[in-house]
């Protein structure tokens, strides 16, 4: 309620409200708080500031105890406005911000409608506080926030278009004034003209339009646009001379108009007119100073101090509650952490025990493996000695039977027995040769440059007698390739593969041998026969030493099962690989791939 209002009538209305609500304060809590605040407003209008602040304080205390935040944000704002009226703008800002924060707790559609109507006013007041405190950048920032808020709400509520346009006009006028104080006259002029265009219409806010015209006239005087200033000052003087109460200019606007008329006349060197306006200005200024003197010197007295203390106490209480919650959470997490650490320690102890057992077992296994390796090496050495010693008598037996078989005077029965002895001796000698080539290791290989094509030719020539026995034919296609390898071992590989092809090919069959470079790093040997082939179930077993995939040749040749196993050992010891492609009844192809260097 302002100075111009009928304070006596207002006092009567407030007395009636309090009388009706007496004894029903808790039943009509919102209405009771509104009535107490209205009493504070009525006392403020009468300039009884100490009493007014007491009512404000009592109303807020009641609201804090009995209303939720959504229902007392308006009263928090009143405290901010009290500071604003005292021109203590920076002290008003926290209250207004708090009121905005409290209003954000409102969620129901009815509350939101009420909040939206007041929110733009709160933001505008906040901006005014910054502006009057000399913080123009912050003020413009909040004016722009207010404009954005109004734009967003106006779209949702077109039925209140006049209200929102009026509010927008007020904000534009205030924003223009702030830009003018930053000497940004072009932007200031634009916003002030927008404000006047909106509110200087019937049904809008002519009082605010007057304020915008005063600001624009001040701007024109500053930039020496006296012609435009004169037009505005004439319009304002015309309003000042109006007799109708609804058209009268507010006292503060009158004071500002006198000041601008004085400055205008002074700048145009119209001394007598300037003196008249100066007298009018100071007369009204002194009158207002007397009226507002109590307001400016009055503090919120004990009510505000008590309020601040209560507020701080509430904050401390809330802080203590929060701390208690943090302590409880901390204790809970600490207990959990201790449990986790205990479980980790327990598991660590168990893992240490298991680790000790595993280390002991590994040591035992290492010792057993070392013993087995030593035993294997010893057995291999003994076996090779025995096999080597067996070769001499077998070779002698083969030589003797060969000589005896040349005797044409032998009886048929004796000749048959000698041939059997010769065959058995030859087979035994081949088996001893295979045994000597077992367990080939890379570190035991003595490598030298070998002409692989020459080695294969030599093997073929040595096995011609076997080929001739079965009336077979060997086709060779060999590139000239030199490998770094062990000659004896590779000779054994090629001999085993060719003998294998002869053994499992029928009489009169063809055998193909091919040598070629795969690339600059590897060479490949292919031995292909057209014999009985290898069943799929046996293909993975034929390279094992202790395989059960032994089969007789096409002419009943005795299998030992060591040839391909030894061949694979030798090839892999050279860093190569061996594999098989076969089709039962159509033949088999063995591939050997060896590194060139």
């Amino acid at each position: 309620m302002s100075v111009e209002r009928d304070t006596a009538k207002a006092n009567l209305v407030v007395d009636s409200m309090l009388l009706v609500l007496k004894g029903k304060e808790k039943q009509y809590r919102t209405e009771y708080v509104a009535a107490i605040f209205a009493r504070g407003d009525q006392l403020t209008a009468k300039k009884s500031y100490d009493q007014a602040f007491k009512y404000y304080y009592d109303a807020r205390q009641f609201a804090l105890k009995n209303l939720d935040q959504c229902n007392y944000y308006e009263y928090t704002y009143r405290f901010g406005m009290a500071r604003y009226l005292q021109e203590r703008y920076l002290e008003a800002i926290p209250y207004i911000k708090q009121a905005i924060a409290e209003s954000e707790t409102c969620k129901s559609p009815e509350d939101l409608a009420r909040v939206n109507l007041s929110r733009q006013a709160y933001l505008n007041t906040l901006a005014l506080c910054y502006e009057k405190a000399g913080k123009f950048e912050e003020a413009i920032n909040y004016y722009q926030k207010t404009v954005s808020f109004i734009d967003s709400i106006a779209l949702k509520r077109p039925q209140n278009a006049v209200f929102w346009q009026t509010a927008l006009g007020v904000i534009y006028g205030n924003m223009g004034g702030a830009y003018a104080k930053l000497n940004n006259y072009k932007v200031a002029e634009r916003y002030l003209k927008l404000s006047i265009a909106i509110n200087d219409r019937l049904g809008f806010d002519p009082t605010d339009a007057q304020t915008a015209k005063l600001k624009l006239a001040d701007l024109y005087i500053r930039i020496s646009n006296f012609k435009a200033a004169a037009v505005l000052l004439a319009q304002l003087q015309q309003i000042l001379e109006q007799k109708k109460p609804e058209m009268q200019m507010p006292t503060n606007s009158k004071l500002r108009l006198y000041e601008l008329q004085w400055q205008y006349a002074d700048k145009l060197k119209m001394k007598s007119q300037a003196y008249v306006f100066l007298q009018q200005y100071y007369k009204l200024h002194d009158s207002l100073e007397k009226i507002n003197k109590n307001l400016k010197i009055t503090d919120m007295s004990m009510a505000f101090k008590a309020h601040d203390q209560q507020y701080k106490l509430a904050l401390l209480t809330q802080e203590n509650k929060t701390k208690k919650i943090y302590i409880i959470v901390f204790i809970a997490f600490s207990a959990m952490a201790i449990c986790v650490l205990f479980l980790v320690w327990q598991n660590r102890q168990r893992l240490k025990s298991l680790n000790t057992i595993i280390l002991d077992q590994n040591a035992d296994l290492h010792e057993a493996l070392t013993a087995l390796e030593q035993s294997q090496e010893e057995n291999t050495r003994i076996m090779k000695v025995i096999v080597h010693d067996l070769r001499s008598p077998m070779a002698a037996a083969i030589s003797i039977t060969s000589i005896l078989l040349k005797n044409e005077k032998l009886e048929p029965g004796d000749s048959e027995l000698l041939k059997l002895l010769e065959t058995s001796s030859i087979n035994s000698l081949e088996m001893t040769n295979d045994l000597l080539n077992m367990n080939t290791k890379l570190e035991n290989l003595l490598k030298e440059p070998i002409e692989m094509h020459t080695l294969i030719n030599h093997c073929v020539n040595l096995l011609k007698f076997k080929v001739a026995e079965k009336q077979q034919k060997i086709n060779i296609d060999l590139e000239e390739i030199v490998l770094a390898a062990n000659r004896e071992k590779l000779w054994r590989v090629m001999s085993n593969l060719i003998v294998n092809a002869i053994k499992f090919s029928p009489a009169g069959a063809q055998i193909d041998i091919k040598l070629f470079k795969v690339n600059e790093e590897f060479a490949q040997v292919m031995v292909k026969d057209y014999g009985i082939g290898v069943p799929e179930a046996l293909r993975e077993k034929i390279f094992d030493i202790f395989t059960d995939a032994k089969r007789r040749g096409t002419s009943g040749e005795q299998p030992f099962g060591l040839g391909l196993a030894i061949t694979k050992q030798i090839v892999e010891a050279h860093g190569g690989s061996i594999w098989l492609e076969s089709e039962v009844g159509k033949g088999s192809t063995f591939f050997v791939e060896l590194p060139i260097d």
Side-chain angles (χ1 to χ4, degrees):
M1 298 181 183
S2 64
V3 177
E4 290 82 0
R5 292 182 185 177
D6 188 348
T7 54
K9 186 177 179 181
N11 189 42
L12 183 62
V13 171
V14 174
D15 286 342
S16 300
M17 290 170 62
L18 290 172
L19 182 63
V20 170
L21 293 170
K22 188 174 181 179
K24 302 177 183 178
E25 294 86 350
K26 295 294 179 73
Q27 185 178 354
Y28 298 99
R29 291 172 294 183
T30 304
E31 291 79 2
Y32 178 67
V33 173
I36 298 177
F37 259 103
R39 172 66 78 194
D41 290 342
Q42 183 261 330
L43 289 167
T44 299
K46 290 173 65 176
K47 314 301 179 184
S48 301
Y49 300 118
D50 285 338
Q51 294 181 47
F53 293 148
K54 180 182 181 302
Y55 276 97
Y56 286 152
Y57 173 74
D58 290 342
R60 175 151 177 84
Q61 289 302 102
F62 185 88
L64 287 171
K65 293 177 182 177
N66 298 284
L67 301 179
D68 57 33
Q69 281 186 316
C70 181
N71 286 316
Y72 61 71
Y73 70 88
E74 293 171 304
Y75 310 120
T76 304
Y77 176 70
R78 300 285 184 90
F79 278 97
M81 283 304 299
R83 292 294 194 189
Y84 180 87
L85 290 172
Q86 288 182 298
E87 298 180 7
R88 297 165 73 168
Y89 304 114
L90 293 179
E91 294 178 27
I93 288 171
Y95 288 104
I96 299 170
K97 285 186 174 180
Q98 184 182 344
I100 293 171
E102 289 168 353
S103 71
E104 289 174 352
T105 63
C106 300
K107 302 299 179 184
S108 69
E110 296 80 7
D111 289 335
L112 285 174
R114 178 166 53 91
V115 166
N116 289 334
L117 289 173
S118 57
R119 180 79 60 83
Q120 54 85 23
Y122 293 3
L123 289 169
N124 181 53
T125 304
L126 192 58
L128 283 170
C129 287
Y130 279 115
E131 182 182 345
K132 291 181 180 295
K135 297 180 179 293
F136 305 121
E137 296 287 352
E138 290 91 336
I140 289 171
N141 179 43
Y142 275 100
Y143 285 136
Q144 289 172 341
K145 286 184 178 180
T146 312
V147 170
S148 298
F149 176 77
I150 292 173
D151 286 342
S152 65
I153 296 300
L155 290 173
K156 299 176 184 176
R157 302 182 181 278
Q159 66 273 21
N160 296 328
V162 172
F163 173 83
W164 293 117
Q165 285 184 43
T166 302
L168 202 58
V170 172
I171 306 305
Y172 285 154
N174 292 338
M175 198 184 308
Y179 274 114
K181 289 173 183 176
L182 286 172
N183 298 325
N184 193 341
Y185 299 124
K186 188 173 182 180
V187 176
E189 182 183 12
R190 177 162 59 87
Y191 278 115
L192 289 169
K193 284 182 175 180
L194 278 173
S195 176
I196 295 167
I198 292 172
N199 281 332
D200 198 18
R201 294 183 290 171
L202 188 64
F204 285 80
D205 191 347
T207 302
D208 182 75
Q210 294 169 22
T211 304
K213 287 179 179 181
L214 288 166
K215 291 177 182 178
L216 187 57
D218 178 52
L219 186 152
Y220 286 145
I221 292 170
R222 284 195 209 177
I223 63 176
S224 300
N225 187 351
F226 299 114
K227 184 177 181 181
V231 172
L232 289 170
L233 291 174
Q235 291 176 4
L236 291 165
Q237 182 63 32
Q238 191 175 11
I239 296 169
L240 181 63
E241 294 170 359
Q242 287 283 342
K243 301 300 182 181
K244 295 180 181 178
E246 65 274 10
M247 296 297 293
Q248 288 183 359
M249 185 180 290
T251 305
N252 287 332
S253 296
K254 288 180 186 178
L255 183 68
R256 183 62 177 147
L257 177 58
Y258 290 149
E259 183 181 14
L260 290 175
Q261 287 173 327
W262 157 46
Q263 291 174 355
Y264 173 81
D266 185 62
K267 285 209 172 187
L268 291 178
K269 309 297 182 182
M270 296 186 294
K271 300 297 182 181
S272 59
Q273 292 184 31
Y275 179 71
V276 171
F277 290 129
L278 182 61
Q279 282 185 318
Q280 290 176 329
Y281 170 77
Y282 275 112
K283 183 180 179 180
L284 185 57
H285 178 270
D286 292 342
S287 175
L288 288 175
E289 279 293 305
K290 288 179 182 179
I291 294 171
N292 294 326
K293 184 177 180 182
N294 290 336
L295 176 63
K296 290 184 179 180
I297 64 173
T298 302
D299 198 355
M300 294 292 183
S301 188
M302 295 303 294
F304 263 20
K305 290 180 181 178
H307 165 72
D308 289 338
Q309 290 173 356
Q310 290 287 337
Y311 183 68
K312 289 176 183 177
L313 182 61
L315 288 178
L316 287 173
T317 304
Q318 184 63 34
E319 187 178 348
N320 286 336
K321 288 181 181 179
T322 305
K323 285 181 178 178
K324 284 181 182 178
I325 293 171
Y326 284 154
I327 290 170
I328 292 170
V329 172
F330 175 75
I331 292 171
F333 274 109
S334 298
M336 290 173 62
I338 290 169
C339 291
V340 170
L341 288 173
F342 175 74
L343 291 173
V344 170
W345 176 83
Q346 196 175 44
N347 286 334
R348 188 175 179 183
Q349 295 299 113
R350 190 182 298 114
L351 287 173
K352 280 184 178 179
S353 177
L354 289 172
N355 194 40
T356 302
I357 295 170
I358 291 169
L359 287 174
D360 291 341
Q361 290 177 346
N362 283 342
D364 293 340
L365 288 172
H366 183 70
E367 290 177 6
L369 182 61
T370 303
L372 284 172
E373 288 177 349
Q374 291 175 351
S375 175
Q376 176 68 16
E377 289 176 1
E378 188 67 24
N379 290 338
T380 301
R381 188 169 61 254
I382 292 171
M383 184 187 69
K384 286 186 175 181
V385 170
I386 294 170
V387 170
H388 188 272
D389 291 342
L390 287 173
R391 292 179 69 186
S392 298
M394 284 188 286
I398 292 169
S399 299
I400 292 170
T401 51
S402 295
I403 293 170
L404 290 174
L405 283 170
K406 291 178 181 178
N407 188 352
E408 297 178 356
K409 295 180 180 181
L410 287 174
E411 294 293 331
D414 294 337
S415 178
E416 188 68 29
L417 289 171
L418 286 171
K419 285 182 180 180
L420 182 61
L421 178 60
E422 182 184 38
T423 301
S424 298
S425 298
I426 290 170
N427 288 338
S428 297
L429 183 61
E430 288 180 355
M431 186 173 68
T432 57
N433 289 333
D434 287 341
L435 289 171
L436 285 172
N437 283 284
M438 282 180 65
N439 298 320
T440 301
K441 295 182 179 178
L442 181 61
E443 58 268 20
N444 298 329
L445 289 175
L446 297 175
K447 293 184 178 181
E448 59 180 305
I450 298 171
E451 292 180 349
M452 195 65 187
H453 52 287
T454 303
L455 185 141
I456 294 173
N457 268 320
H458 181 58
C459 289
V460 171
N461 289 332
L462 288 176
L463 294 171
K464 276 185 178 180
F465 71 95
K466 285 186 175 287
V467 175
E469 285 179 3
K470 299 183 74 169
Q471 298 179 345
Q472 295 169 338
K473 180 182 178 182
I474 295 180
N475 295 325
I476 58 176
D477 179 11
L478 309 174
E479 291 184 20
E480 294 186 359
I481 299 174
V482 178
L483 302 179
N486 184 284
R487 184 182 301 276
E488 181 187 351
K489 299 297 184 183
L490 282 194
W491 177 85
R492 172 55 57 188
V493 168
M494 299 315 304
S495 293
N496 284 345
L497 291 178
I498 297 170
V499 168
N500 208 53
I502 295 169
K503 185 187 295 185
F504 293 104
S505 294
Q510 176 180 309
I511 297 170
D512 296 330
I513 302 174
K514 189 175 181 181
L515 171 66
F516 59 94
K517 275 187 179 181
V518 178
N519 49 44
E520 293 301 319
E521 296 179 357
F522 288 94
Q524 195 175 101
V525 180
M526 182 189 75
V527 180
K528 179 177 179 64
D529 66 61
Y530 300 88
I532 61 176
V534 181
E536 188 172 353
L538 301 179
R539 289 175 194 171
E540 294 298 325
K541 299 179 181 180
I542 60 174
F543 293 108
D544 295 338
I545 292 176
F546 303 105
T547 182
D548 57 356
K550 299 175 183 178
R551 299 183 299 158
R552 291 185 176 273
T554 53
S555 297
E557 292 94 337
Q558 178 69 32
F560 300 110
L562 296 175
L564 288 176
I566 292 168
T567 296
K568 184 178 181 183
Q569 282 186 358
I570 294 171
V571 170
E572 290 179 349
H574 280 82
S577 57
I578 182 170
W579 68 93
L580 163 70
E581 293 179 3
S582 184
E583 189 175 350
V584 177
K586 293 186 178 181
S588 302
T589 305
F590 284 86
F591 297 91
V592 175
E593 191 168 271
L594 294 165
I596 294 174
D597 294 329

